[in-house]
Amino acid sequence: MALEWLRENYDWQAALAFVGLLAITSIVGNWLTFKIPVLAEMRETNRAVDKTKLARESFRNAIKINNKSGLYTNLAFYATILPFCVGFDSRPIWRHVVDVFAVLLVFDFMYYLTHRFLFHGTLLRKVHSLHHQARKPTYVDALYVHPLETFIGLSLFLGSIPLVAVVTGGPLHVVSMVVATLLFTHLNSLNHVYTNLPAPFGWVNTITGVHAAHHVDMSHGNYATLTMFYDKLFGTYEEPIIRETA
Ligand SMILES: [Zn+2]
Ligand SMILES: [Zn+2]
């Protein structure tokens, strides 16, 4: 039964299309985002501070190892599990929306628990403390993460794709999973960016300020990474910190 399900749903072309679409939308999205002058300016502010952090060889090496961990985890998943989880079967828009939300909310719940009880518990606190060296995070700190932590965090996200596919009875659409992956990746980066943006980007300051409050030291809440839903639900939400300067 399970084998039949797997055989029926295997679609390597869909997995390949997923990777291609993800690459194209990332490149175009990035290019478009920084056409907006205030966002380009913010990027320069972050780059200036990032440069001082990157001057340390140990910092650069940690990022290199972490990036490798992320790349290999992604590639292994894309080559082995993803072909069973994505397809092109058409479905109404609301199903796309539900699937994106389901994957992100399932991930965020698992990440909340992992972050709160493993990374801030006794078991993996030491591993996580590398990332918490950033007390005032800027863009590059999103990458200053122990490779084991990246492997675990990424696996929770990637694992939520087959989980939702199985629960909903079949492969998820390539396009909705690209959207979910873009949101996951870029919200995790954005969380660490220093922003002090004018209207109409004030909501971005709230997003970055919430995670900045988590980074003050290792005793603060805001454990989830995509929404503040679980922190509010479980009473660990803390107000965002808005910094005047990077
Ligand atoms: Zn933490
Ligand atoms: Zn962080």
Side-chain angles (χ1 to χ4, degrees), residues 111 115 128 131-132 134 137 141-142 145 149 188 191-192 211 214-215:
Y111 185 79
H115 190 185
H128 188 52
H131 180 60
H132 269 275
D141 291 304
V145 181
E149 179 177 339
N188 270 304
N191 276 341
H192 296 90
H211 196 64
H214 179 69
H215 270 269

Side-chain angles (χ1 to χ4, degrees), residues 136-238:
K136 292 179 171 181
T138 48
Y139 167 74
V140 80
D141 291 304
L143 307 170
Y144 191 60
V145 181
H146 192 286
L148 178 62
E149 179 177 339
T150 290
F151 170 73
I152 294 170
L154 200 48
S155 297
L156 292 177
F157 170 69
L158 297 171
S160 59
I161 296 175
L163 202 67
V164 172
V166 168
V167 169
T168 57
L172 305 166
H173 200 279
V174 166
V175 170
S176 45
M177 286 310 98
V178 166
V179 171
T181 306
L182 287 171
L183 285 169
F184 164 77
T185 309
H186 293 290
L187 277 170
N188 270 304
S189 287
L190 179 66
N191 276 341
H192 296 90
V193 172
Y194 162 72
T195 68
N196 193 359
L197 293 162
F201 296 106
W203 57 276
V204 178
N205 300 336
T206 307
I207 292 177
T208 58
V210 162
H211 196 64
H214 179 69
H215 270 269
V216 167
D217 59 40
M218 278 190 85
S219 65
H220 286 265
N222 299 348
Y223 295 106
T225 178
L226 302 180
T227 74
M228 283 301 104
F229 175 66
Y230 299 109
D231 284 283
K232 290 201 167 157
L233 189 65
F234 299 122
T236 50
Y237 176 74
E238 294 196 23

Side-chain angles (χ1 to χ4, degrees), residues 1-221:
M1 173 90 177
L3 264 179
E4 203 174 305
W5 193 91
L6 290 174
R7 201 166 33 232
E8 258 174 34
N9 292 320
Y10 185 80
D11 188 346
W12 65 267
Q13 284 113 321
L16 203 63
F18 169 93
V19 175
L21 191 60
L22 185 64
I24 292 167
T25 45
S26 295
I27 293 165
V28 174
N30 198 48
W31 182 75
L32 284 175
T33 302
F34 295 110
K35 285 274 156 207
I36 301 167
V38 282
L39 300 185
E41 208 177 290
M42 248 331 128
R43 179 169 65 170
E44 287 315 306
T45 308
N46 278 271
R47 278 183 176 168
V49 182
D50 288 348
K51 222 174 148 183
T52 62
K53 295 177 180 174
L54 287 162
R56 264 174 54 215
E57 199 189 350
S58 61
F59 193 92
R60 288 197 306 274
N61 286 339
I63 286 178
K64 253 185 229 162
I65 297 166
N66 174 60
N67 286 351
K68 265 189 197 159
S69 167
L71 180 69
Y72 294 150
T73 308
N74 271 326
L75 288 180
F77 176 83
Y78 293 163
T80 58
I81 303 173
L82 188 67
F84 297 104
C85 311
V86 287
F88 290 110
D89 284 355
S90 72
R91 59 201 74 197
I93 294 282
W94 68 262
R95 249 312 290 278
H96 285 275
V97 176
V98 167
D99 289 346
V100 169
F101 270 91
V103 166
L104 296 179
L105 284 175
V106 165
F107 158 75
D108 221 25
F109 179 60
M110 296 193 293
Y111 185 79
Y112 176 88
L113 296 177
T114 307
H115 190 185
R116 183 172 172 186
F117 297 110
L118 292 182
F119 293 146
H120 283 259
T122 43
L123 201 59
L124 293 173
R125 194 179 181 87
K126 244 191 164 154
V127 164
H128 188 52
S129 65
L130 180 86
H131 180 60
H132 269 275
Q133 282 178 19
R135 295 292 155 106
K136 292 179 171 181
T138 48
Y139 167 74
V140 80
D141 291 304
L143 307 170
Y144 191 60
V145 181
H146 192 286
L148 178 62
E149 179 177 339
T150 290
F151 170 73
I152 294 170
L154 200 48
S155 297
L156 292 177
F157 170 69
L158 297 171
S160 59
I161 296 175
L163 202 67
V164 172
V166 168
V167 169
T168 57
L172 305 166
H173 200 279
V174 166
V175 170
S176 45
M177 286 310 98
V178 166
V179 171
T181 306
L182 287 171
L183 285 169
F184 164 77
T185 309
H186 293 290
L187 277 170
N188 270 304
S189 287
L190 179 66
N191 276 341
H192 296 90
V193 172
Y194 162 72
T195 68
N196 193 359
L197 293 162
F201 296 106
W203 57 276
V204 178
N205 300 336
T206 307
I207 292 177
T208 58
V210 162
H211 196 64
H214 179 69
H215 270 269
V216 167
D217 59 40
M218 278 190 85
S219 65
H220 286 265

